[in-house]
């Protein structure tokens, strides 16, 4: 479902609801509908004995094979299948299933012993409700002077296997933080209840352990950000309205899940784990990528203290960006003439629910696209416009705002804006060296955000090769007397043993996916070049448990041969994992990578050394990458953009 809304006004609303675009033309990559979620769950209840003691961890579309998708034409019959992961709370073993929604049948049913399915929102909420009433929890809070339980937030985190208490490694367990609000609408993360953690069995909802160590004295902090709760706050009065209007409407069309904007076409997907997925991206009918998404997000806190040593989140593999996607209807998350797209997901009973306005579509002005001033011909100026496809996920204290941007010159940009609330701790005496002081006797730990983008490229077709290019300054000699000469040297990544790559500032190393089977008019291979502008190092001992679980963060660029089952770079089941069972393992096959169907993986993110200015709520911290055409076009593809018709440019 989609809906259209006018400009978001400064009062905080998203404008009045307008037209609905309807279901659109059916396609094999359309996300599952509410009815399909129900059918998938019902088939497993009927055929596999799944009852009320089971939870559904995930139900998602099983995407058809690429050749089927490429050959599909509107009106062709469509077979629909769902991938399902579920487990019995009594047995504790996850099962993977494939359900044919077309045939009303189970096609596959496989036990996966020794693994734990992803955490679920139902478990998170239930753990809080059970623990907040437990007498041991109530007593521990009362000992600290906390008696108003309505102000307490118990936040459950997933474990890495090596950190699970002895004797509990085979159980489905979580560990918790405890936070307290100063007021009913106050910020809970302003007041950590330090030294108090619970270990809970998430199948039985049994409190297993209470960790209660004497905390540092809780200092008086100003951790509020809601205007009514910030003492002495006077909001600025010199800001006048900024309106974005398109009096003739938008320049894009949405038919079901297919988005068309100028020369770009793509299909929008959505699932519990990745959130937004970009399918079948093409420019002027020429394929660029089959599928683009975020496949993992690793957030290690680099503080060994008792309150933080377990704090490493796999926000995609352990929880799922889709499950944590928030509605954009309540604030000015998008500005302009907006079309919203709803998303449908499921709870642990298999019942569907709708995230209204999960995806935002709108156009933005982007300054000058190209310009030249000639003394005779005068000035030729073209303004740049970009199509933005975005969604926002709230991951406990953090927000991740994800923007895929498509430009008139064929460029693709992916940007993440991290905001929200930092985790903090009180200290006595000198501050710990593992963070930054942000308030009275309060520090925020150093931490990192690694996002793994999975880029299933299809540059002018599936026969692709990754080429690494480096620049070299030639020595001074007779042919280069002034030391000016710079040349480039390129090599193809021929197999997966060569497919773990690092950036190199000294050589300006670049990474380009090319199609050597379709040379352009100039005789070179059309390609798309990755600009890894936000690559960061892991800065961790190789034996560190979090690095063993996420070996993908060791390199910012990886390339592998496409396999439909190889989707998750740190493994399908990274909840309570001990080692990375994904990309590093797949590459051991050392499959050939020349002129074939390959996947480019890019790890990018933030090394976050907190600032006082990040407290109590962070201004956005931005990290991104770009894919730019190199030889994909014979000349500037934006020569055909007309001059602006606005009177402001006359």
């Amino acid at each position: 479902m989609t809906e259209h809304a006018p400009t978001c006004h400064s009062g905080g609303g998203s404008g009045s609801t307008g037209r609905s675009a309807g279901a659109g033309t059916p396609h094999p990559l359309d996300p599952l509908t509410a009815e399909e979620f129900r059918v998938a769950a019902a088939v497993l209840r009927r055929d596999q004995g799944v009852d009320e003691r089971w939870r559904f961890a995930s139900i998602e579309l099983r995407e058809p094979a690429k050749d089927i998708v490429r050959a599909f034409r509107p009106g062709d019959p469509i077979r629909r299948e769902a991938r399902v992961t579920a487990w019995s709370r009594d047995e504790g073993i996850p099962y993977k299933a494939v359900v044919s929604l077309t045939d009303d049948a189970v096609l596959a049913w496989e036990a996966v012993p020794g693994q734990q399915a992803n955490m679920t929102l139902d478990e998170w909420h239930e753990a809080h409700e059970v623990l907040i009433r437990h007498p041991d929890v109530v007593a521990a809070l009362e000992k600290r002077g906390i008696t108003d339980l309505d102000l307490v937030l118990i936040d459950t985190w997933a474990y890495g296997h090596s950190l699970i208490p002895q004797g509990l490694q085979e159980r489905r367990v979580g560990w918790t933080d405890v936070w307290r609000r100063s007021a009913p609408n106050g910020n809970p993360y302003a007041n950590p209840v330090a030294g108090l953690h619970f270990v809970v069995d998430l199948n039985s909802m049994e409190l297993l352990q209470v960790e209660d160590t004497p905390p540092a004295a809780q200092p008086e902090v100003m951790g509020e950000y809601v205007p009514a709760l910030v003492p002495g706050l006077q909001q600025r009065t010199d800001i006048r309205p900024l309106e974005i209007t398109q009096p003739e409407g938008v320049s894009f069309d949405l038919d079901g899940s297919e988005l068309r904007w100028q020369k770009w076409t793509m299909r929008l997907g959505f699932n519990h784990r990745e959130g937004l997925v970009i399918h079948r991206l093409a420019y002027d009918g020429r394929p660029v990528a089959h599928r683009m998404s975020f496949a993992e997000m690793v957030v290690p806190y680099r503080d060994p203290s008792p309150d933080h040593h377990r704090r490493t989140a796999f926000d995609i593999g352990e929880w799922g960006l889709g499950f944590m996607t928030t509605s954009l209807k309540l604030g000015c998350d998008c500005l302009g003439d907006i079309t919203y797209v709803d998303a449908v997901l499921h709870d642990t009973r298999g019942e569907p629910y709708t995230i209204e306005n999960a995806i935002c579509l709108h156009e933005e002005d982007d300054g000058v696209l190209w310009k030249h001033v000639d003394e005779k011909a005068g000035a030729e100026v073209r303004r740049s416009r970009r199509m933005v496809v975005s969604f926002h996920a709230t991951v406990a204290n953090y927000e991740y705002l994800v923007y895929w941007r498509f430009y008139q010159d064929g460029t693709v940009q992916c940007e993440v804006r991290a905001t929200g609330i930092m985790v903090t701790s009180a200290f006595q005496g000198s501050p710990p060296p593992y963070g930054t002081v942000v308030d009275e006797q309060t520090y925020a730990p150093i931490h990192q955000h690694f996002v793994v983008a999975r880029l299933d490229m299809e540059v002018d077709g599936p026969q692709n090769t990754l080429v690494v290019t480096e620049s070299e300054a030639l020595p001074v000699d007779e042919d280069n007397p002034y030391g000016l000469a710079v040349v480039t040297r390129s090599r193809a990544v021929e197999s997966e043993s060569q497919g773990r790559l690092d950036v190199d500032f000294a050589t300006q190393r670049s990474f380009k996916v090319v199609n050597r089977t379709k040379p352009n008019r100039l005789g070179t291979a059309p390609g798309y070049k990755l600009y890894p502008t936000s690559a960061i190092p892991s800065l961790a001992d190789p034996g560190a448990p979090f690095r063993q679980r996420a070996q993908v963060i060791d390199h910012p660029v990886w390339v592998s041969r496409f396999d439909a089952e190889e989707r998750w770079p740190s493994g399908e089941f990274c909840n309570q994992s001990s080692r990375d069972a994904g990309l590093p393992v797949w590459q051991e096959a050392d499959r050939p990578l020349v002129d074939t169907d390959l996947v480019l993986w890019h790890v990018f993110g933030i090394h976050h050394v907190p600032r006082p200015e990040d407290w109590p709520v962070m201004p956005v911290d931005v990290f991104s990458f770009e894919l730019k055409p190199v030889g994909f076009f014979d000349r500037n593809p934006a020569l055909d953009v007309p001059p602006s018709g606005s009177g402001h440019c006359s």
Side-chain angles (χ1 to χ4, degrees):
M1 172 188 168
T2 62
E3 65 177 28
H4 180 80
T7 297
C8 173
H9 300 290
S10 58
S14 59
S16 58
T17 300
R19 61 176 175 81
S20 172
T25 305
H27 187 275
L29 292 175
D30 287 344
L32 294 180
T33 66
E35 182 58 25
E36 287 175 322
F37 281 119
R38 291 193 182 97
V39 169
V43 169
L44 291 177
R45 291 192 183 100
R46 182 193 67 201
D47 294 353
Q48 297 298 334
V50 172
D51 60 23
E52 69 278 357
R53 290 295 300 162
W54 286 66
R55 289 190 192 270
F56 290 93
S58 62
I59 305 173
E60 61 174 318
L61 175 71
R62 188 190 190 201
E63 296 171 13
K66 290 184 178 182
D67 57 348
I68 294 175
V69 174
R70 293 186 190 111
F72 177 80
R73 298 294 179 268
D76 289 352
I78 299 173
R79 290 191 58 81
R80 300 284 279 176
E81 296 177 357
R83 296 178 184 261
V84 183
T85 299
W87 81 97
S88 165
R89 283 175 278 178
D90 299 323
E91 183 185 19
I93 297 175
Y95 285 77
K96 295 169 56 177
V98 177
V99 177
S100 171
L101 304 169
T102 303
D103 300 329
D104 191 34
V106 178
L107 304 181
W109 178 254
E110 175 191 2
V112 194
Q115 306 289 349
Q116 292 292 340
N118 56 272
M119 307 279 275
T120 67
L121 294 179
D122 287 351
E123 292 174 291
W124 190 90
H125 288 292
E126 289 172 28
H128 170 86
E129 294 300 326
V130 168
L131 291 174
I132 201 68
R133 297 193 301 269
H134 195 286
D136 293 350
V137 174
V138 174
L141 291 169
E142 188 173 1
K143 187 172 67 174
R144 293 160 183 263
I146 301 172
T147 56
D148 188 345
L149 301 182
D150 290 337
L151 299 178
V152 175
L153 170 64
I154 299 177
D155 183 10
T156 300
W157 286 61
Y159 263 115
H161 189 272
S162 65
L163 299 174
I164 299 174
Q166 286 298 313
L168 303 180
Q169 290 93 339
E170 304 308 314
R171 301 175 74 162
R172 183 176 178 84
V173 291
W175 70 275
T176 75
D177 276 325
V178 183
W179 312 90
R180 178 185 57 83
R181 301 179 193 270
S182 297
N185 293 324
N187 172 20
Y189 300 108
N191 304 293
V193 182
L196 185 59
H197 305 281
F198 310 120
V199 181
V200 57
D201 184 310
L202 294 170
N203 282 328
S204 63
M205 287 298 163
E206 175 188 359
L207 175 61
L208 300 175
Q209 291 185 10
V210 177
E211 300 176 12
D212 191 354
T213 56
Q218 182 68 36
E220 289 294 326
V221 300
M222 204 306 287
E224 304 298 344
Y225 59 92
V226 175
L229 299 177
V230 179
L233 178 68
Q234 293 185 350
Q235 294 184 328
R236 304 179 190 191
T237 59
D238 56 351
I239 299 178
R240 295 179 179 176
L242 174 64
E243 300 287 351
I244 308 298
T245 61
Q246 294 181 266
E248 297 182 21
V250 299
S251 302
F252 60 87
D253 293 303
L254 187 65
D255 178 8
S257 61
E258 185 182 39
L259 174 64
R260 299 184 292 268
W261 179 73
Q262 298 193 30
K263 296 186 177 183
W264 284 108
T265 57
M266 68 198 76
R267 306 200 70 88
L268 307 179
F270 197 92
N271 63 56
H272 74 285
R273 189 156 176 163
E274 298 160 291
L276 173 66
V277 179
I278 305 295
H279 295 284
R280 304 303 301 157
L281 180 67
Y283 187 98
D284 203 16
R286 297 170 63 188
V288 173
H290 176 74
R291 193 181 192 278
M292 302 192 302
S293 68
F294 289 175
E296 195 51 85
M297 183 184 297
V298 184
V299 186
Y301 280 73
R302 309 309 298 273
D303 181 346
S305 68
D307 279 329
H308 300 294
H309 74 281
R310 288 168 292 202
R311 199 182 300 282
T312 295
F314 288 67
D315 288 328
I316 291 176
E318 289 175 341
W319 291 97
L321 283 188
F323 282 146
M324 294 181 289
T325 293
T326 53
S327 171
L328 300 175
K329 67 180 180 178
L330 298 179
C332 280
D333 300 295
C334 306
L335 188 64
D337 202 333
I338 303 161
T339 296
Y340 288 116
V341 181
D342 295 345
V344 181
L345 291 177
H346 65 91
D347 62 19
T348 58
R349 297 166 298 157
E351 281 297 307
Y353 65 91
T354 298
I355 305 172
E356 295 183 354
N357 299 358
I359 301 170
C360 176
L361 310 178
H362 72 290
E363 296 172 281
E364 290 180 345
D365 180 82
D366 184 51
V368 172
L369 173 63
W370 58 263
K371 176 180 180 177
H372 185 62
V373 179
D374 182 84
E375 62 177 313
K376 292 185 177 180
E380 288 286 343
V381 185
R382 301 295 185 272
R383 290 201 67 78
S384 176
R385 185 181 298 193
R386 61 193 185 189
M387 182 73 217
V388 184
V389 183
S390 63
F391 77 109
H392 296 179
T394 297
V395 185
N397 54 300
Y398 256 105
E399 263 81 18
Y400 296 97
L401 321 179
V402 180
Y403 303 88
W404 290 91
R405 298 182 178 125
F406 304 90
Y407 292 80
Q408 293 163 304
D409 67 349
T411 295
V412 179
Q413 180 192 57
C414 179
E415 179 183 281
V416 180
R417 296 187 168 206
T419 180
I421 315 293
M422 295 187 300
V423 167
T424 61
S425 284
F427 65 89
Q428 290 178 328
S430 299
Y434 316 112
T436 302
V437 176
V438 296
D439 209 324
E440 295 297 324
Q441 296 297 114
T442 299
Y443 78 100
I446 296 168
H447 56 284
Q448 297 166 298
H449 304 256
F450 296 91
V451 176
V452 186
R454 183 180 184 273
L455 308 172
D456 185 353
M457 302 300 291
E458 192 174 308
V459 178
D460 259 346
Q463 292 79 34
N464 287 177
T465 302
L466 183 68
V467 173
V468 179
T469 300
E470 300 185 87
S471 296
E472 178 185 346
L474 297 183
V476 173
D477 60 16
E478 290 183 2
D479 296 325
N480 184 33
Y482 306 110
L484 294 172
V486 172
V487 297
T488 59
R489 307 192 189 281
S490 299
R491 62 178 177 87
V493 177
E494 296 182 348
S495 70
E496 289 179 316
S497 63
Q498 304 169 10
R500 306 178 183 194
L501 301 159
D502 296 310
V503 297
D504 188 339
F505 176 80
T507 66
Q508 292 294 287
R509 183 178 294 158
S510 66
F511 311 92
K512 182 170 56 177
V513 178
V514 303
N515 190 327
R516 305 190 303 184
T517 69
K518 296 182 178 180
N520 59 26
R521 182 178 62 86
L522 305 173
T524 58
Y528 260 78
K529 178 179 176 181
L530 172 68
Y531 285 73
T533 54
S534 297
I536 60 173
S538 65
L539 291 177
D541 186 281
F546 86 86
R547 189 170 170 188
Q548 288 292 304
R549 298 176 64 208
Q551 295 174 47
V552 67
I553 69 173
D554 287 353
H555 306 280
V557 179
W558 300 65
V559 60
S560 66
R561 189 166 180 138
F562 172 78
D563 184 310
E565 298 303 313
E566 296 179 359
R567 300 188 295 158
W568 314 119
S570 293
E572 182 173 0
F573 297 97
C574 58
N575 182 18
Q576 299 185 197
S577 65
S578 58
R579 290 188 64 84
D580 192 326
L583 190 52
V585 175
W586 307 331
Q587 282 196 334
E588 291 175 1
D590 198 20
R591 295 165 291 192
L593 292 177
V594 174
D595 302 332
T596 190
D597 193 354
L598 56 80
V599 178
L600 182 66
W601 308 78
H602 177 41
V603 185
F604 67 117
I606 304 169
H607 180 75
H608 190 181
V609 179
R611 307 173 301 150
E613 291 86 351
D614 293 331
W615 180 253
V617 62
M618 280 177 55
V620 293
D621 207 342
V622 179
F623 53 107
S624 65
F625 68 88
E626 289 185 336
L627 292 167
K628 281 184 172 289
V630 179
F632 193 79
F633 305 103
D634 296 338
R635 55 176 56 86
N636 181 350
L639 286 177
D640 58 358
V641 174
S644 173
S646 170
H648 298 297
C649 296
S650 59

